[in-house]
Amino acid sequence: MLNQVAQAKECVVLLHGLARTADSMKALEKRLALEGYTVVNVDYPSRKYPIETLAEIAVGQSIEECTKKSATKINFVTHSLGGILVRVYLKSNRRDDIGRVVMLGPPNQGSEVVDNLKNALGFELLNGPAGMQLGTKSSDIPKSLGPVNFDLGVIAGTQSINLILSTFIPGQNDGKVSVESAKVKGMHDFVTLPTTHPFMMKNAAVIDQTVYFLQHGQFKQN
């Protein structure tokens, strides 16, 4: 009971991935609410604006929402693009109330899928300007951000349901992001799980590890 009272003072912001909605984070939202956290599940127009604008919309507004709820600490759980938005926002906005961050399948070093398909017919239409910025080149957003300076845990998937896209990606991957590309300098912990990119935020093991990191600052060792 005491633990839940303490966690109620903490806000957890959920940020979905590219071309998804807040509904994709519902399983996490329900579990975190049961754990006693105040949860803000953000729905943002991921295909409408470039990453810099989305960071202000999604991260900036969600922080305001947490503040309105009298949260003393603000945590983040992100899927895919959502993690990049947090990195972009926190790079230029220093805050003392940021707690822990868990990123699920983040393209922290970019995705080779974007490198190979960004010029394909219909790619920008389907993925928007933000999708065009998620390659692995030095000119792409992920490679321009540098090390993280917040308490970060990263979960990478090792299974793919899109074998065509996986042919573009070196090594183990989740169908969109490689295990190596999910890593970033400065992260506090890292774990791989047998799950796929589109469904990892609904995976029971992923959810359990997410909650554990938020509570303990490290992932549970099996």
Side-chain angles (χ1 to χ4, degrees), residues 18 80 105-124 126-127 130-137 140 142 159-179 181 197-198:
L18 183 65
S80 195
N108 277 321
Q109 305 303 322
S111 173
E112 289 84 3
V113 172
V114 178
D115 294 342
N116 284 275
L117 296 181
K118 66 186 301 182
N119 295 320
L121 183 66
F123 183 88
E124 185 171 8
L126 290 173
N127 297 284
M132 300 290 284
Q133 297 175 291
L134 292 175
T136 66
K137 311 302 182 187
D140 291 315
Q159 293 185 346
S160 173
I161 57 172
N162 194 323
L163 299 182
I164 295 176
L165 293 186
S166 288
T167 62
F168 298 129
I169 308 171
Q172 281 190 310
N173 65 86
D174 62 9
K176 292 288 183 70
V177 179
S178 73
V179 167
S181 286
H197 193 85

